[in-house]
Structures are given as structure tokens and as C-alpha cells.
Amino acid sequence: MFDFADPATFDLRYRGTVRCRTTTGADLYYEMAGSGPPVVCLNNFFIVAPAWRNFTSRLARDHTIVTYDLRNQGVSRPGPGTPHIDDHVDDLRDLLDHLGLDAVHLVGTSASTLICRDFALRHPDRVHGLVLTGPAFSPYGPLRMRLMAKDWLQRLEHAQVAGVFDYLYPLVFTDKAIERGGRATYFALREHFLALNSEAQVRTCVTELRQASGDPDLLTRITRRVLLLIGDGDHLWSASTLRDALALIPDAVGHVIEGAGHMPFIEATEEFEDVVARFVAQG
């Protein structure tokens, strides 16, 4: 398990060689661990597939954990053409077909909650439930996220990938975690981020984020169970935002993790795993 105060505990090693070739020509790296009800974890911009081992070790005792690098991320390859946010929905379908998984629980974080949302809307029969952690959507509309994404692209232009990381790091983690990790964790995570994300990859990811629909009406159309999992220090979410989002989604519950930011699975791993396990057990 990752200890924020000890960056040496953060395991990002690529151990496997298995791949999934998608119908559109992408080549996806994936990992599987454990046994039991399948739970598929989707990356955000900050992490790659191996990182989930640090946050799902207890879940893997009773669940099959599937993680993969999105096309154009980590060691996955994007395939021909200009990438679009919709490609990720098709890739997820192809991966489930490749693995012989009929229906799964999806765990999304930040930008990948948009992929989970859209997948559940297009393929509801393939989804048991959604765990949407620090969602990149809003119950009010997309303007704030699009303005943020525009800012990230400007930072990328003027300060490259390092400038994007330097901006995001104090935004997504809480004061408590940052102080606990100190300079050692900051520089270790920065090194990992720069090694795994080229300027072109970051630009593509942020552009895809801007392509995604932020229409709040989409939330009203989700027919599967949803858990909105929020850190109380998330820069995008407040208690009232959570309340208003829950009012839109037909079958949704919320859970707030105290003392955590935008990625609570990193800062409060045990509680994250416990909450996800309870949600999955409910069917």
C-alpha cells in the first residue's frame, strides 16, 4: 500500500506483457489481479495501470481487479487517426469482450468518470454499477472544467509537462498530504509523471477532456447504480454540489471521505477500498 510519506512504496512497475487489440487499431496494456466479482478501474491523467496495485490490494482479495492504460497513455498505443473521447468508450467495450466479461463494476476517477458515464449510457447491460471518484462533470454544466482545461493547455505551451504537474499537484492533494509527503514525495511523483507523460500525450488527453459532453441531463439518463465518492478537500466538489448531483442521478448514493482531495484512493486507500467493496456487494 502506498504511503504518501514514503514515495519508495509507490509501485509503478509494468510487470505484464498482455495486450488487447481494439477494433479501431489501438493496443491496450492491461493487468488483472485477484478473483471474484470483476471491478474495472480506469485511469485519470495522473496515474497509469500499475498504480492501481497500490490502491486495490485489499479489494483484490475478493474481487477481480482489471486495470489498463488508456490509448495514448502509459505503454498503450493509440491506433490510427486523431483520438477522440468516444474512442475510450469503444476501447472499454473491446477490452471487456477480450476478457470475456459480460458485466462489471466500473471505477472512474476525475476525467475517466466521463468515460464511465458514457459507457453506462451506451452499454447499460455491461455495467452493474459505477463508482465515480472526484468526477470531472458537474451537475450545473461544463464551463468551469473547460476553462480549466484551456488553462492546462496554455501551461503546457509555456511551461511544458513539468508546468502542468507543478500546477496540478497542490490542486488535487490536500494540505495534509502535501506536508506529510514533503519534498521527497513531490519530486518522486513529479519524476514519475514526467517519465510517463509526453507533451503530446498530455495535450491529447486535455483536448479529449474538452471534447466530452458536460450536459447535466446525461446524468438523469443513467440507469445503473452510482456511487459518487468525493474527498472533502476536492477542489471541484462541495457538499451542495454533491447534493445537487445526487438529485439528478436516478439511483445514486454519495460518500464523502474526510481529509482527502481529488483522488481520495491515494490519500485514504483503506476507506476507499472499504466503500467500494460495500457498494459492489450490494449488487
Side-chain angles (χ1 to χ4, degrees), residues 76-113:
S76 288
R77 291 186 285 273
T82 303
H84 190 276
I85 188 70
D86 291 340
D87 293 330
H88 297 298
V89 176
D90 295 335
D91 289 348
L92 178 55
R93 178 204 60 207
D94 291 342
L95 179 62
L96 297 187
D97 289 345
H98 175 79
L99 298 175
L101 298 174
D102 294 327
V104 301
H105 281 84
L106 298 177
V107 177
T109 163
S110 193
S112 68
T113 60

mmCIF file of all heavy atoms in Angstrom, residues 76-113:
data_model
loop_
_atom_site.group_PDB
_atom_site.id
_atom_site.type_symbol
_atom_site.label_atom_id
_atom_site.label_comp_id
_atom_site.label_asym_id
_atom_site.label_seq_id
_atom_site.Cartn_x
_atom_site.Cartn_y
_atom_site.Cartn_z
ATOM 1 N N SER A 76 0.254 1.916 -23.601
ATOM 2 C CA SER A 76 -0.736 1.622 -24.643
ATOM 3 C C SER A 76 -0.456 2.491 -25.866
ATOM 4 O O SER A 76 0.117 3.572 -25.759
ATOM 5 C CB SER A 76 -2.159 1.882 -24.140
ATOM 6 O OG SER A 76 -2.567 0.900 -23.209
ATOM 7 N N ARG A 77 -0.911 2.009 -27.023
ATOM 8 C CA ARG A 77 -0.738 2.763 -28.263
ATOM 9 C C ARG A 77 -2.104 3.176 -28.808
ATOM 10 O O ARG A 77 -3.070 2.413 -28.712
ATOM 11 C CB ARG A 77 0.044 1.928 -29.275
ATOM 12 C CG ARG A 77 1.502 1.733 -28.871
ATOM 13 C CD ARG A 77 2.311 1.035 -29.945
ATOM 14 N NE ARG A 77 2.030 -0.381 -30.029
ATOM 15 C CZ ARG A 77 2.647 -1.309 -29.303
ATOM 16 N NH1 ARG A 77 3.556 -0.953 -28.411
ATOM 17 N NH2 ARG A 77 2.346 -2.581 -29.441
ATOM 18 N N PRO A 78 -2.190 4.372 -29.404
ATOM 19 C CA PRO A 78 -3.496 4.939 -29.721
ATOM 20 C C PRO A 78 -4.173 4.417 -30.969
ATOM 21 O O PRO A 78 -5.381 4.557 -31.123
ATOM 22 C CB PRO A 78 -3.184 6.433 -29.874
ATOM 23 C CG PRO A 78 -1.770 6.467 -30.348
ATOM 24 C CD PRO A 78 -1.094 5.324 -29.640
ATOM 25 N N GLY A 79 -3.435 3.847 -31.907
ATOM 26 C CA GLY A 79 -4.054 3.467 -33.164
ATOM 27 C C GLY A 79 -4.076 4.633 -34.135
ATOM 28 O O GLY A 79 -3.657 5.756 -33.808
ATOM 29 N N PRO A 80 -4.596 4.425 -35.350
ATOM 30 C CA PRO A 80 -4.579 5.471 -36.377
ATOM 31 C C PRO A 80 -5.613 6.558 -36.108
ATOM 32 O O PRO A 80 -6.558 6.371 -35.345
ATOM 33 C CB PRO A 80 -4.924 4.699 -37.657
ATOM 34 C CG PRO A 80 -5.770 3.550 -37.176
ATOM 35 C CD PRO A 80 -5.201 3.158 -35.842
ATOM 36 N N GLY A 81 -5.417 7.694 -36.758
ATOM 37 C CA GLY A 81 -6.393 8.770 -36.681
ATOM 38 C C GLY A 81 -6.208 9.663 -35.473
ATOM 39 O O GLY A 81 -5.377 9.416 -34.595
ATOM 40 N N THR A 82 -7.003 10.711 -35.432
ATOM 41 C CA THR A 82 -6.978 11.659 -34.328
ATOM 42 C C THR A 82 -7.820 11.133 -33.179
ATOM 43 O O THR A 82 -9.007 10.840 -33.363
ATOM 44 C CB THR A 82 -7.531 13.025 -34.776
ATOM 45 O OG1 THR A 82 -6.764 13.505 -35.892
ATOM 46 C CG2 THR A 82 -7.464 14.031 -33.637
ATOM 47 N N PRO A 83 -7.251 10.966 -31.992
ATOM 48 C CA PRO A 83 -8.010 10.418 -30.863
ATOM 49 C C PRO A 83 -9.198 11.306 -30.483
ATOM 50 O O PRO A 83 -9.133 12.529 -30.601
ATOM 51 C CB PRO A 83 -6.983 10.355 -29.733
ATOM 52 C CG PRO A 83 -5.645 10.401 -30.405
ATOM 53 C CD PRO A 83 -5.849 11.237 -31.629
ATOM 54 N N HIS A 84 -10.256 10.653 -30.038
ATOM 55 C CA HIS A 84 -11.449 11.361 -29.578
ATOM 56 C C HIS A 84 -11.919 10.707 -28.293
ATOM 57 O O HIS A 84 -11.707 9.492 -28.079
ATOM 58 C CB HIS A 84 -12.550 11.312 -30.645
ATOM 59 C CG HIS A 84 -13.709 12.212 -30.362
ATOM 60 N ND1 HIS A 84 -14.758 11.839 -29.526
ATOM 61 C CD2 HIS A 84 -13.987 13.476 -30.786
ATOM 62 C CE1 HIS A 84 -15.623 12.838 -29.461
ATOM 63 N NE2 HIS A 84 -15.188 13.838 -30.212
ATOM 64 N N ILE A 85 -12.574 11.451 -27.424
ATOM 65 C CA ILE A 85 -13.045 10.918 -26.153
ATOM 66 C C ILE A 85 -13.924 9.691 -26.348
ATOM 67 O O ILE A 85 -13.907 8.754 -25.535
ATOM 68 C CB ILE A 85 -13.798 12.021 -25.357
ATOM 69 C CG1 ILE A 85 -14.131 11.547 -23.946
ATOM 70 C CG2 ILE A 85 -15.011 12.496 -26.110
ATOM 71 C CD1 ILE A 85 -12.944 11.399 -23.034
ATOM 72 N N ASP A 86 -14.685 9.641 -27.453
ATOM 73 C CA ASP A 86 -15.561 8.496 -27.698
ATOM 74 C C ASP A 86 -14.780 7.209 -27.931
ATOM 75 O O ASP A 86 -15.303 6.111 -27.713
ATOM 76 C CB ASP A 86 -16.470 8.759 -28.906
ATOM 77 C CG ASP A 86 -17.512 9.829 -28.629
ATOM 78 O OD1 ASP A 86 -17.789 10.085 -27.440
ATOM 79 O OD2 ASP A 86 -18.058 10.406 -29.588
ATOM 80 N N ASP A 87 -13.531 7.324 -28.389
ATOM 81 C CA ASP A 87 -12.723 6.130 -28.629
ATOM 82 C C ASP A 87 -12.546 5.319 -27.349
ATOM 83 O O ASP A 87 -12.470 4.085 -27.386
ATOM 84 C CB ASP A 87 -11.340 6.515 -29.164
ATOM 85 C CG ASP A 87 -11.404 7.119 -30.552
ATOM 86 O OD1 ASP A 87 -12.315 6.760 -31.318
ATOM 87 O OD2 ASP A 87 -10.521 7.954 -30.869
ATOM 88 N N HIS A 88 -12.475 5.992 -26.206
ATOM 89 C CA HIS A 88 -12.251 5.295 -24.945
ATOM 90 C C HIS A 88 -13.448 4.418 -24.562
ATOM 91 O O HIS A 88 -13.279 3.366 -23.931
ATOM 92 C CB HIS A 88 -11.962 6.303 -23.831
ATOM 93 C CG HIS A 88 -10.719 7.096 -24.056
ATOM 94 N ND1 HIS A 88 -9.465 6.524 -24.135
ATOM 95 C CD2 HIS A 88 -10.530 8.435 -24.233
ATOM 96 C CE1 HIS A 88 -8.560 7.463 -24.341
ATOM 97 N NE2 HIS A 88 -9.185 8.629 -24.400
ATOM 98 N N VAL A 89 -14.634 4.855 -24.929
ATOM 99 C CA VAL A 89 -15.829 4.049 -24.658
ATOM 100 C C VAL A 89 -15.774 2.766 -25.482
ATOM 101 O O VAL A 89 -16.037 1.669 -24.973
ATOM 102 C CB VAL A 89 -17.099 4.854 -24.972
ATOM 103 C CG1 VAL A 89 -18.345 3.987 -24.797
ATOM 104 C CG2 VAL A 89 -17.178 6.086 -24.082
ATOM 105 N N ASP A 90 -15.417 2.890 -26.757
ATOM 106 C CA ASP A 90 -15.301 1.706 -27.609
ATOM 107 C C ASP A 90 -14.171 0.803 -27.137
ATOM 108 O O ASP A 90 -14.291 -0.439 -27.174
ATOM 109 C CB ASP A 90 -15.056 2.129 -29.055
ATOM 110 C CG ASP A 90 -16.235 2.884 -29.657
ATOM 111 O OD1 ASP A 90 -17.370 2.682 -29.174
ATOM 112 O OD2 ASP A 90 -16.021 3.671 -30.598
ATOM 113 N N ASP A 91 -13.064 1.401 -26.691
ATOM 114 C CA ASP A 91 -11.942 0.591 -26.193
ATOM 115 C C ASP A 91 -12.354 -0.241 -24.980
ATOM 116 O O ASP A 91 -11.961 -1.416 -24.866
ATOM 117 C CB ASP A 91 -10.768 1.499 -25.797
ATOM 118 C CG ASP A 91 -10.072 2.125 -26.992
ATOM 119 O OD1 ASP A 91 -10.332 1.699 -28.126
ATOM 120 O OD2 ASP A 91 -9.269 3.058 -26.771
ATOM 121 N N LEU A 92 -13.117 0.350 -24.083
ATOM 122 C CA LEU A 92 -13.555 -0.369 -22.891
ATOM 123 C C LEU A 92 -14.439 -1.545 -23.274
ATOM 124 O O LEU A 92 -14.301 -2.645 -22.720
ATOM 125 C CB LEU A 92 -14.288 0.587 -21.948
ATOM 126 C CG LEU A 92 -14.860 -0.010 -20.664
ATOM 127 C CD1 LEU A 92 -13.794 -0.742 -19.853
ATOM 128 C CD2 LEU A 92 -15.508 1.090 -19.823
ATOM 129 N N ARG A 93 -15.332 -1.331 -24.214
ATOM 130 C CA ARG A 93 -16.167 -2.438 -24.695
ATOM 131 C C ARG A 93 -15.298 -3.554 -25.275
ATOM 132 O O ARG A 93 -15.506 -4.746 -24.979
ATOM 133 C CB ARG A 93 -17.129 -1.922 -25.773
ATOM 134 C CG ARG A 93 -18.028 -2.995 -26.402
ATOM 135 C CD ARG A 93 -18.486 -2.554 -27.770
ATOM 136 N NE ARG A 93 -17.344 -2.339 -28.657
ATOM 137 C CZ ARG A 93 -17.347 -1.495 -29.692
ATOM 138 N NH1 ARG A 93 -18.422 -0.759 -29.935
ATOM 139 N NH2 ARG A 93 -16.267 -1.368 -30.454
ATOM 140 N N ASP A 94 -14.311 -3.179 -26.089
ATOM 141 C CA ASP A 94 -13.441 -4.185 -26.697
ATOM 142 C C ASP A 94 -12.633 -4.935 -25.645
ATOM 143 O O ASP A 94 -12.407 -6.152 -25.772
ATOM 144 C CB ASP A 94 -12.498 -3.521 -27.706
ATOM 145 C CG ASP A 94 -13.230 -3.002 -28.939
ATOM 146 O OD1 ASP A 94 -14.376 -3.428 -29.184
ATOM 147 O OD2 ASP A 94 -12.644 -2.164 -29.653
ATOM 148 N N LEU A 95 -12.188 -4.230 -24.612
ATOM 149 C CA LEU A 95 -11.423 -4.885 -23.555
ATOM 150 C C LEU A 95 -12.290 -5.889 -22.812
ATOM 151 O O LEU A 95 -11.844 -7.020 -22.533
ATOM 152 C CB LEU A 95 -10.865 -3.842 -22.583
ATOM 153 C CG LEU A 95 -10.062 -4.395 -21.401
ATOM 154 C CD1 LEU A 95 -8.821 -5.147 -21.873
ATOM 155 C CD2 LEU A 95 -9.674 -3.275 -20.433
ATOM 156 N N LEU A 96 -13.523 -5.526 -22.483
ATOM 157 C CA LEU A 96 -14.418 -6.465 -21.800
ATOM 158 C C LEU A 96 -14.687 -7.680 -22.677
ATOM 159 O O LEU A 96 -14.724 -8.817 -22.184
ATOM 160 C CB LEU A 96 -15.727 -5.772 -21.421
ATOM 161 C CG LEU A 96 -15.646 -4.605 -20.439
ATOM 162 C CD1 LEU A 96 -17.053 -4.149 -20.047
ATOM 163 C CD2 LEU A 96 -14.840 -4.969 -19.203
ATOM 164 N N ASP A 97 -14.871 -7.464 -23.971
ATOM 165 C CA ASP A 97 -15.069 -8.592 -24.888
ATOM 166 C C ASP A 97 -13.830 -9.484 -24.909
ATOM 167 O O ASP A 97 -13.932 -10.723 -24.877
ATOM 168 C CB ASP A 97 -15.356 -8.077 -26.301
ATOM 169 C CG ASP A 97 -16.727 -7.433 -26.435
ATOM 170 O OD1 ASP A 97 -17.570 -7.631 -25.540
ATOM 171 O OD2 ASP A 97 -16.950 -6.731 -27.442
ATOM 172 N N HIS A 98 -12.671 -8.854 -24.964
ATOM 173 C CA HIS A 98 -11.401 -9.593 -24.999
ATOM 174 C C HIS A 98 -11.240 -10.469 -23.755
ATOM 175 O O HIS A 98 -10.739 -11.600 -23.835
ATOM 176 C CB HIS A 98 -10.250 -8.599 -25.111
ATOM 177 C CG HIS A 98 -8.883 -9.201 -25.033
ATOM 178 N ND1 HIS A 98 -8.274 -9.838 -26.095
ATOM 179 C CD2 HIS A 98 -7.986 -9.270 -24.001
ATOM 180 C CE1 HIS A 98 -7.083 -10.272 -25.725
ATOM 181 N NE2 HIS A 98 -6.877 -9.932 -24.467
ATOM 182 N N LEU A 99 -11.675 -9.958 -22.616
ATOM 183 C CA LEU A 99 -11.523 -10.670 -21.346
ATOM 184 C C LEU A 99 -12.705 -11.601 -21.055
ATOM 185 O O LEU A 99 -12.676 -12.332 -20.058
ATOM 186 C CB LEU A 99 -11.372 -9.667 -20.196
ATOM 187 C CG LEU A 99 -10.135 -8.757 -20.268
ATOM 188 C CD1 LEU A 99 -10.162 -7.733 -19.142
ATOM 189 C CD2 LEU A 99 -8.855 -9.578 -20.212
ATOM 190 N N GLY A 100 -13.722 -11.568 -21.890
ATOM 191 C CA GLY A 100 -14.894 -12.412 -21.675
ATOM 192 C C GLY A 100 -15.728 -11.982 -20.479
ATOM 193 O O GLY A 100 -16.361 -12.830 -19.829
ATOM 194 N N LEU A 101 -15.770 -10.688 -20.199
ATOM 195 C CA LEU A 101 -16.531 -10.157 -19.077
ATOM 196 C C LEU A 101 -17.837 -9.565 -19.582
ATOM 197 O O LEU A 101 -17.830 -8.620 -20.369
ATOM 198 C CB LEU A 101 -15.718 -9.093 -18.333
ATOM 199 C CG LEU A 101 -14.404 -9.570 -17.701
ATOM 200 C CD1 LEU A 101 -13.638 -8.380 -17.124
ATOM 201 C CD2 LEU A 101 -14.670 -10.606 -16.620
ATOM 202 N N ASP A 102 -18.937 -10.124 -19.143
ATOM 203 C CA ASP A 102 -20.237 -9.651 -19.619
ATOM 204 C C ASP A 102 -20.641 -8.331 -18.978
ATOM 205 O O ASP A 102 -21.075 -7.399 -19.655
ATOM 206 C CB ASP A 102 -21.315 -10.706 -19.343
ATOM 207 C CG ASP A 102 -21.106 -11.973 -20.155
ATOM 208 O OD1 ASP A 102 -20.602 -11.858 -21.293
ATOM 209 O OD2 ASP A 102 -21.419 -13.068 -19.657
ATOM 210 N N ALA A 103 -20.549 -8.260 -17.645
ATOM 211 C CA ALA A 103 -20.942 -7.046 -16.925
ATOM 212 C C ALA A 103 -20.010 -6.859 -15.737
ATOM 213 O O ALA A 103 -19.607 -7.834 -15.082
ATOM 214 C CB ALA A 103 -22.389 -7.131 -16.455
ATOM 215 N N VAL A 104 -19.691 -5.601 -15.439
ATOM 216 C CA VAL A 104 -18.682 -5.286 -14.424
ATOM 217 C C VAL A 104 -19.112 -4.058 -13.635
ATOM 218 O O VAL A 104 -20.031 -3.334 -14.021
ATOM 219 C CB VAL A 104 -17.312 -5.014 -15.079
ATOM 220 C CG1 VAL A 104 -16.832 -6.209 -15.878
ATOM 221 C CG2 VAL A 104 -17.374 -3.761 -15.973
ATOM 222 N N HIS A 105 -18.427 -3.839 -12.539
ATOM 223 C CA HIS A 105 -18.468 -2.543 -11.868
ATOM 224 C C HIS A 105 -17.309 -1.708 -12.409
ATOM 225 O O HIS A 105 -16.190 -2.220 -12.568
ATOM 226 C CB HIS A 105 -18.337 -2.695 -10.352
ATOM 227 C CG HIS A 105 -19.598 -3.116 -9.673
ATOM 228 N ND1 HIS A 105 -19.977 -4.437 -9.578
ATOM 229 C CD2 HIS A 105 -20.578 -2.394 -9.067
ATOM 230 C CE1 HIS A 105 -21.139 -4.506 -8.929
ATOM 231 N NE2 HIS A 105 -21.514 -3.289 -8.611
ATOM 232 N N LEU A 106 -17.579 -0.447 -12.684
ATOM 233 C CA LEU A 106 -16.556 0.468 -13.179
ATOM 234 C C LEU A 106 -16.177 1.468 -12.101
ATOM 235 O O LEU A 106 -17.056 2.022 -11.428
ATOM 236 C CB LEU A 106 -17.062 1.227 -14.412
ATOM 237 C CG LEU A 106 -17.426 0.403 -15.654
ATOM 238 C CD1 LEU A 106 -17.972 1.321 -16.735
ATOM 239 C CD2 LEU A 106 -16.210 -0.363 -16.171
ATOM 240 N N VAL A 107 -14.882 1.695 -11.954
ATOM 241 C CA VAL A 107 -14.371 2.722 -11.046
ATOM 242 C C VAL A 107 -13.657 3.769 -11.883
ATOM 243 O O VAL A 107 -12.640 3.486 -12.519
ATOM 244 C CB VAL A 107 -13.400 2.132 -10.007
ATOM 245 C CG1 VAL A 107 -12.824 3.241 -9.129
ATOM 246 C CG2 VAL A 107 -14.086 1.078 -9.156
ATOM 247 N N GLY A 108 -14.211 4.962 -11.913
ATOM 248 C CA GLY A 108 -13.594 6.059 -12.640
ATOM 249 C C GLY A 108 -13.093 7.117 -11.684
ATOM 250 O O GLY A 108 -13.577 7.234 -10.554
ATOM 251 N N THR A 109 -12.116 7.885 -12.141
ATOM 252 C CA THR A 109 -11.553 8.946 -11.317
ATOM 253 C C THR A 109 -11.279 10.164 -12.184
ATOM 254 O O THR A 109 -10.664 10.057 -13.249
ATOM 255 C CB THR A 109 -10.265 8.488 -10.613
ATOM 256 O OG1 THR A 109 -9.537 9.639 -10.157
ATOM 257 C CG2 THR A 109 -9.362 7.692 -11.521
ATOM 258 N N SER A 110 -11.779 11.312 -11.751
ATOM 259 C CA SER A 110 -11.580 12.562 -12.475
ATOM 260 C C SER A 110 -12.053 12.413 -13.920
ATOM 261 O O SER A 110 -13.207 12.098 -14.168
ATOM 262 C CB SER A 110 -10.115 12.986 -12.394
ATOM 263 O OG SER A 110 -9.954 14.322 -12.824
ATOM 264 N N ALA A 111 -11.164 12.601 -14.903
ATOM 265 C CA ALA A 111 -11.576 12.588 -16.302
ATOM 266 C C ALA A 111 -12.195 11.263 -16.732
ATOM 267 O O ALA A 111 -13.091 11.239 -17.585
ATOM 268 C CB ALA A 111 -10.386 12.918 -17.195
ATOM 269 N N SER A 112 -11.744 10.160 -16.152
ATOM 270 C CA SER A 112 -12.282 8.865 -16.606
ATOM 271 C C SER A 112 -13.700 8.615 -16.111
ATOM 272 O O SER A 112 -14.352 7.674 -16.565
ATOM 273 C CB SER A 112 -11.360 7.716 -16.192
ATOM 274 O OG SER A 112 -11.332 7.521 -14.801
ATOM 275 N N THR A 113 -14.221 9.449 -15.205
ATOM 276 C CA THR A 113 -15.632 9.316 -14.835
ATOM 277 C C THR A 113 -16.518 9.639 -16.039
ATOM 278 O O THR A 113 -17.646 9.145 -16.133
ATOM 279 C CB THR A 113 -16.006 10.253 -13.672
ATOM 280 O OG1 THR A 113 -15.774 11.615 -14.040
ATOM 281 C CG2 THR A 113 -15.199 9.916 -12.429
#
